[in-house]
Structures are given as C-alpha cells and as structure tokens.
C-alpha cells in the first residue's frame, strides 16, 4: 500500500471528507487531494502532524503493514477513560503520542546501535578489541548533532537516499577532531555508512529525524566512559 492510499485510508477511517481532514491537519483541501492522487509527495512535517493528530503508528505509515495503523493498547484505553472523567483528554493524547513515539524509536534503534559496538561470536570479540564499534558511535553522535544544528529535513520519498548522502558528505565538527585527535576518521565514517545502508530503513530514519535530541542522549549513554567525559569537557561552540 502506497503512502497516498494510506492517507486516504486514515481519512476514511475517521469518516472525514477531504475538507474536514485538511482542517484537522492544518493544510488545504487541494493538498489532500494531490496527496491522495499521487500528484505530490507529502513532506515530513505533514507526516508528523498526521501521526500526532490521529495517533498513527509511524511503522505502519512508512511501510510495515503487519503493524497496526493506530497506536493503542490497554494502558492507553484506561488512561483515556480517566482523562475523559477529568476532562483532560487533549493533554493525555499529547503526552502519550510524544512518549510512545520517542520510546519506540529508542527501543527499535537501540538494538541496531548495539550492532555498532559488537556482533556475535569471534567477530564481536574483534570489534571490542579494535574499538571499531566505539569509533563508529563517535561518528554517529557527531553526525546527529550536525543534523540537529543544521535543522536538516529530508523528503519522505527519498528519505534513506538523502540520509545516506548527507552522512557521506558531512565533515567532522571542530570539537570532534579535537576530542579524538585523529584516532577516528574517514574509515570509521565509511563503516558507519555501510551499517546505515544495511540496518536502517525509511521508517527508522523518519523516527531518527523525529527524535534527534533523545537519540543523541541515547548514543552518548552507549559510549564508553572516556568518550562521555570528552563530550562533557569539549562541547560544541
């Protein structure tokens, strides 16, 4: 199912016509029509609003049809009942969407990040002894900060390609070079590029871009004690 079909499915699920749907999202009816007719690709801002307003599962929206369209479980339903009684539905909705989205991202990407540090068996031992995984985490951390500082956004249609190209073309920050004094370089970035191409899909990258600050902190927590110390001492200017 293409993204255009999913947008229409969401609209029809909530029984909105295109005008009502557009008003909910904060766009024009013409834009909704173009999205559904595949005349225009939605940008990440629209998709984020779609997820937030209608509690849509990012994994389903960006490709995983085996998952549910809506983010919903028993805990959410019980909390919703209490929120209705206390007339705080909107506040609860905002909290849950923000929390679930960010935690799902950290959980899913966390397993992928662990592969940067070590794999199974003899290869894992080699990774740990050489420090290759730690150096790749350094590069990833610096790259995520770069994306955040530059406020970079990618087109949903080419999100993986644009993410990979951006990683390939970015240059190490001055503080990165000062922290590691040449012990981490182009070879480590090439290894990170290979990991990203093999491990990340469109949904993962969309979630990365939606939770950059939280992911930066998570990556820091996965780094060794000395690297975390260097990050605290040598901060971005």
């Amino acid at each position: 199912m293409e993204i255009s079909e999913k947008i229409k499915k969401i609209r029809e699920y909530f029984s909105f016509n295109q005008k009502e749907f557009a008003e909910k999202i904060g766009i024009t009816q013409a834009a909704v029509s173009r999205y559904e007719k595949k005349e225009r690709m939605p940008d990440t801002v629209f998709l984020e609003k779609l997820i937030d307003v209608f509690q849509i599962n990012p994994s389903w929206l960006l490709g995983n049809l085996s998952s549910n369209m809506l983010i919903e479980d028993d805990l959410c339903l019980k909390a919703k009942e209490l929120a209705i009684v206390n007339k705080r539905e909107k506040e609860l909705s905002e909290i849950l969407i923000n929390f679930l989205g960010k935690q799902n991202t950290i959980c899913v990407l966390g397993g992928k990040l662990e592969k940067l540090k070590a794999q199974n068996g003899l290869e894992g031992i080699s990774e740990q002894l050489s420090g290759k995984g730690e150096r790749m985490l350094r590069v990833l951390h610096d790259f995520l900060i770069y994306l955040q500082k530059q406020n970079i956004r990618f087109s949903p249609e080419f999100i993986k390609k644009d993410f990979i190209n951006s990683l390939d073309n970015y240059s190490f920050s001055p503080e990165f070079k000062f922290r590691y004094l040449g012990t981490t370089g182009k070879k480590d970035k090439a290894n990170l590029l290979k990991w990203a191409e093999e491990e990340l899909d469109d949904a993962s990258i969309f979630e990365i871009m939606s939770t950059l600050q939280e992911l930066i902190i998570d990556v820091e927590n996965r780094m060794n004690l000395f690297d975390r110390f260097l990050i605290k001492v040598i901060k971005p200017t």
Side-chain angles (χ1 to χ4, degrees), residues 137-152 170-171 173 175-176 179-180 208 212-213 215-217 219-220 223 231 234-237:
L137 279 178
R138 293 172 180 174
V139 177
L140 177 61
H141 180 262
D142 191 57
F143 177 61
L144 294 177
I145 291 176
Y146 161 79
L147 292 177
Q148 184 183 57
K149 289 178 68 174
Q150 298 297 320
N151 195 27
I152 293 175
Y170 112 99
S171 299
S173 65
E175 56 271 14
F176 178 92
R179 279 183 201 134
Y180 306 118
I208 286 173
L212 272 177
Q213 182 57 43
L215 192 58
I216 288 169
I217 294 171
V219 171
E220 286 182 14
M223 298 170 81
I231 289 170
I234 307 172
K235 297 180 179 180
T237 54

Side-chain angles (χ1 to χ4, degrees), residues 3 19 25 27-28 45 47 53 57 64 68 72-73 83 85 88 102 116 126 134 150 163 168 202 208 219 224 231-232:
I3 190 71
K19 182 179 178 182
I25 299 293
I27 60 175
T28 65
V45 174
L47 294 179
V53 172
N57 187 335
N64 185 3
N68 295 323
E72 197 170 38
D73 58 27
V85 171
R88 303 183 71 175
K102 291 179 179 179
L116 288 177
S126 174
E134 292 288 352
Q150 298 297 320
F163 182 89
D168 190 27
D202 288 357
I208 286 173
V219 171
N224 63 48
I231 289 170
K232 289 181 179 180

Side-chain angles (χ1 to χ4, degrees), residues 78-92:
K78 291 176 182 177
K80 185 176 181 180
E81 291 174 1
L82 290 174
I84 292 172
V85 171
N86 294 305
K87 298 181 178 180
R88 303 183 71 175
E89 300 98 314
K90 184 176 180 180
E91 180 182 349
L92 174 64

Side-chain angles (χ1 to χ4, degrees), residues 2 7 20 22 29-30 66 71 75 96 107 134 142 176 178 200 211 220:
E2 297 183 4
I7 292 170
E20 294 168 337
Q29 181 181 349
S66 63
I71 300 173
L75 180 60
L96 287 176
C107 181
E134 292 288 352
D142 191 57
F176 178 92
F178 187 61
L200 300 181
T211 55
E220 286 182 14

Side-chain angles (χ1 to χ4, degrees), residues 109-226:
L109 295 176
K112 298 179 184 296
L113 291 175
E114 283 302 311
K115 291 186 178 182
L116 288 177
K117 297 179 70 175
Q119 300 176 27
N120 295 322
L122 295 177
E123 186 176 356
I125 296 173
S126 174
E127 293 279 311
Q128 292 173 3
L129 290 176
S130 68
K132 175 182 174 183
E134 292 288 352
R135 295 195 302 273
M136 290 165 67
L137 279 178
R138 293 172 180 174
V139 177
L140 177 61
H141 180 262
D142 191 57
F143 177 61
L144 294 177
I145 291 176
Y146 161 79
L147 292 177
Q148 184 183 57
K149 289 178 68 174
Q150 298 297 320
N151 195 27
I152 293 175
R153 290 186 177 275
F154 303 120
S155 165
E157 186 178 7
F158 306 107
I159 192 167
K160 180 168 182 176
K161 178 181 177 182
D162 290 347
F163 182 89
I164 296 296
N165 286 340
S166 185
L167 174 57
D168 190 27
N169 294 325
Y170 112 99
S171 299
F172 299 134
S173 65
E175 56 271 14
F176 178 92
K177 295 176 182 178
F178 187 61
R179 279 183 201 134
Y180 306 118
L181 300 175
T183 59
T184 302
K186 293 181 179 179
K187 183 177 179 180
D188 300 297
K189 189 170 83 166
N191 289 331
L192 183 64
L193 272 166
K194 181 180 178 182
W195 170 82
E197 289 171 345
E198 294 176 352
E199 295 293 332
L200 300 181
D201 55 16
D202 288 357
S204 298
I205 295 171
F206 179 83
E207 291 172 343
I208 286 173
M209 300 305 298
S210 300
T211 55
L212 272 177
Q213 182 57 43
E214 290 77 11
L215 192 58
I216 288 169
I217 294 171
D218 185 68
V219 171
E220 286 182 14
N221 290 336
R222 295 174 188 277
M223 298 170 81
N224 63 48
L225 183 61
F226 184 66

